[in-house]
Structure formats: C-alpha cells, structure tokens
Amino acid sequence: MWDIVDSNLQDGDQAKGAVAVDAFPGLGKTTAVLVFAAEFHRREIAEHGAFTAQGHERWPVCRVGLTGNTGMKDLNRAMLEFFGHPGRQTSTAAQLGLQALDCVLSCEVRLLILDDLHFLKWRRTSGIEVSSHLKWIANEFPVTLLKVGVGLADKGLFSEGEAIGETALAQTGRRTTRLDMPPFTIAAEQGRQQWRRLLLALEQRIVLADAYPGMLADDLSDYLFARSTGHIGSLMTLVNRGCQRAQRAGAERLTRELLDQVRNDEAAEGARRELDCAFSAGKATSRPRGVRTTG
C-alpha cells in the first residue's frame, strides 16, 4: 500500500491507481487498513503541519463506510458527514459531489478509504452509478482510493466479462490493484514461523499477573491454531475472552483448560475438530523446527 499511495502522490493531476483489499471475513482487513491510515495521517501531519497554507485543518485521510443500499448521493453525503459539512442534508447529488471535492481540496485529503464495498450490487443500476462515480472521484479528486471488502472479484468489481455493465466496470479493473490477506497456514515452515511471530507479539500485549514468556507461542501454539483455524479475527476473539475469564476466575494466565471453557465464533468452532485430530495424531504442527520439542 505504501508503494501505491506514495507513487500516486507524484502523479500530479493524473488519474491515480486505486487499491482494493479483498479477503474473507475475520482476517483483519479493516484493522490493517486503519493502522496504515493512521501511520499515513501521522506522517503527513509531521511533514506538512496540522494546517494547510490556507488555514484549514489538514485531514490526509477520509474514511467512509458503505451500506447495502448506498447510491451516488449517499456516498457523497457520507463523505460530507466525515467533514461535518452543514450542507450535507439539503443539497442535490451533484451539489454534494462538488461540496465533497471542495472539502477534499481544502483539507488536502490524500487517501479516501471506502469500507465494506462488498455491500454494493455492482451489476445493478445503483452499483453501476457508484462505479462511474468512483471513476469521477479518481479523475477529479487528488486522492488514492483504498477499497475494502469481501469477495470483490466475485461480485464484479474487476469484471470485464459480458455481463451488464461491462464497459463501466472494465476501467475499474484496469485502475485497481488487488491485495489479499490470506489466513495463516502451517503447511510450510515459513507459515509456521509467521504464526509463531504473531503469538510472540500477542504475548507482549496480554496483561495478566501470571503471564509468562512462551505462554502462547510455546504452550498453546497448536491449540490456538486449531481453535482459530489461522484466522486472526477468531484468534483475537478467543484470547480476549480467555483473558476476561482468567481475570474473573483469578487464574491470571491462559491455559488449555481455561480456554476450553470459552466459546469462539461459530465458523472457528465448526472447523476445529479436523485440526484437533491432526495435531493429536502428530500429522500437523504449528511450531517451527527449532521449537518443536518445547511446550
């Protein structure tokens, strides 16, 4: 994302390439994008100051969440809601678009995030209208569009086939770079090392009186992978609920016995049994080679 956004900053008045973060639920898409947005915001403020040359507040990032019935007017109004514009309730769709452009220019926005883009029905009339509107934004707004959603390719965001809206959607596919976020896997050594690094980093954020180094990465590595199936959203849910139970019960540490009392999300619980059997039979492991004898 840094490569794409920073290269777009050099393009001047040229149409800028967009980014689409497209992955299954529970893999941390929105979290990763918001972390990137916060770092980008802080960098721009540090380099250029909190106010523009005209005295307006500098807002390098604008984030908009979409709904299932978002149309062109709704999208423009959502952008104005972000800036608190007084005309967001009474203007026409065209006026809202121009007002949004004025806010973007005045506040020197450089990154426009559109979250939950999968809610749009791309092959319906409203979806085609919004797709065309996004191309207008890409042409007229000095911003990089960062789109976040689930199954965007399957829903037709990048489609150039023979379905309705072929011409309208083809340009979107050419201008958009798709980035995915796969779940953690343990089939290869690299994946096992990544999983261990995640658990080690997570250990640093746990505040329990009897927590100790290796509590997750050594003693619970296989167990946590089986309970989360490699999805960071399921992992964080399990660890967070486990910490709450550990505090209430006075255990002050995470153990297999304590986490067995914690229910996780339905998708993770449904896929748990097969992984449990593989780990128990020694047919799979989440530990890298150098630490397989620990725990």
Side-chain angles (χ1 to χ4, degrees):
M1 286 192 285
W2 283 111
D3 289 341
I4 297 169
V5 173
D6 283 347
S7 62
N8 279 344
L9 294 179
Q10 313 302 321
D11 286 344
D13 60 350
Q14 303 299 315
K16 295 171 171 41
V19 186
V21 181
D22 183 9
F24 288 113
L27 294 176
K29 298 182 302 299
T30 299
T31 301
V33 167
L34 292 180
V35 169
F36 171 79
E39 292 180 0
F40 181 80
H41 176 94
R42 287 192 291 265
R43 189 193 74 175
E44 291 295 296
I45 296 298
E47 290 184 0
H48 304 291
F51 294 90
T52 68
Q54 289 73 34
H56 303 293
E57 288 188 30
R58 187 185 307 280
W59 287 96
V61 181
C62 172
R63 179 198 171 274
V64 176
L66 276 66
T67 65
N69 59 352
T70 299
M72 184 172 67
K73 187 173 184 178
D74 301 310
L75 177 58
N76 290 336
R77 180 176 289 125
M79 286 190 286
L80 292 180
E81 287 282 356
F82 178 87
F83 295 103
H85 195 284
R88 60 189 182 277
Q89 300 296 340
T90 58
S91 303
T92 64
Q95 290 172 334
L96 289 172
L98 293 176
Q99 290 166 351
L101 175 59
D102 179 64
C103 288
V104 166
L105 293 174
S106 298
C107 297
E108 297 190 3
V109 177
R110 293 294 177 261
L111 181 65
L112 173 58
I113 300 173
L114 302 178
D115 205 354
D116 292 325
L117 204 66
H118 53 275
F119 287 152
L120 291 180
K121 309 301 181 183
W122 290 99
R123 301 202 184 283
R124 296 183 182 178
T125 302
S126 60
I128 300 301
E129 289 177 351
V130 173
S131 177
S132 300
H133 188 57
L134 292 180
K135 285 194 284 290
W136 176 74
I137 290 177
N139 290 333
E140 301 297 330
F141 286 40
V143 300
T144 297
L145 285 174
L146 204 170
K147 310 166 189 178
V148 186
V150 178
L152 298 180
D154 295 336
K155 292 183 179 296
L157 174 62
F158 316 111
S159 176
E160 297 187 33
E162 298 179 356
I164 298 174
E166 172 188 354
T167 303
L169 294 175
Q171 193 176 35
T172 300
R174 290 294 180 182
R175 287 184 175 181
T176 304
T177 300
R178 178 179 178 272
L179 305 177
D180 63 353
M181 295 187 67
F184 287 90
T185 60
I186 56 173
E189 183 69 11
Q190 181 180 4
R192 292 188 286 268
Q193 291 175 351
Q194 291 174 344
W195 176 251
R196 179 173 176 80
R197 285 197 293 269
L198 171 65
L199 296 184
L200 289 172
L202 188 55
E203 285 181 1
Q204 304 302 313
R205 301 177 64 88
I206 292 179
V207 183
L208 292 174
D210 292 335
Y212 56 90
M215 183 176 66
L216 302 186
D218 292 334
D219 295 348
L220 295 171
S221 179
D222 289 352
Y223 178 84
L224 291 174
F225 191 90
R227 291 293 306 271
S228 66
T229 62
H231 285 67
I232 192 171
S234 300
L235 173 67
M236 296 304 296
T237 297
L238 178 63
V239 171
N240 182 53
R241 293 175 181 175
C243 289
Q244 292 293 329
R245 179 176 287 271
Q247 291 172 358
R248 291 198 309 271
E252 293 296 336
R253 67 170 59 188
L254 296 181
T255 63
R256 180 187 294 263
E257 292 73 21
L258 182 140
L259 291 174
D260 278 340
Q261 304 173 45
V262 177
R263 290 285 296 178
N264 207 356
D265 62 84
E266 187 60 27
E269 293 292 348
R272 173 186 177 185
R273 180 174 300 178
E274 183 177 351
L275 281 169
D276 273 336
C277 293
F279 287 131
S280 299
K283 296 181 179 179
T285 180
S286 65
R287 297 185 178 94
R289 291 191 183 92
V291 293
R292 288 181 188 176
T293 58
T294 62

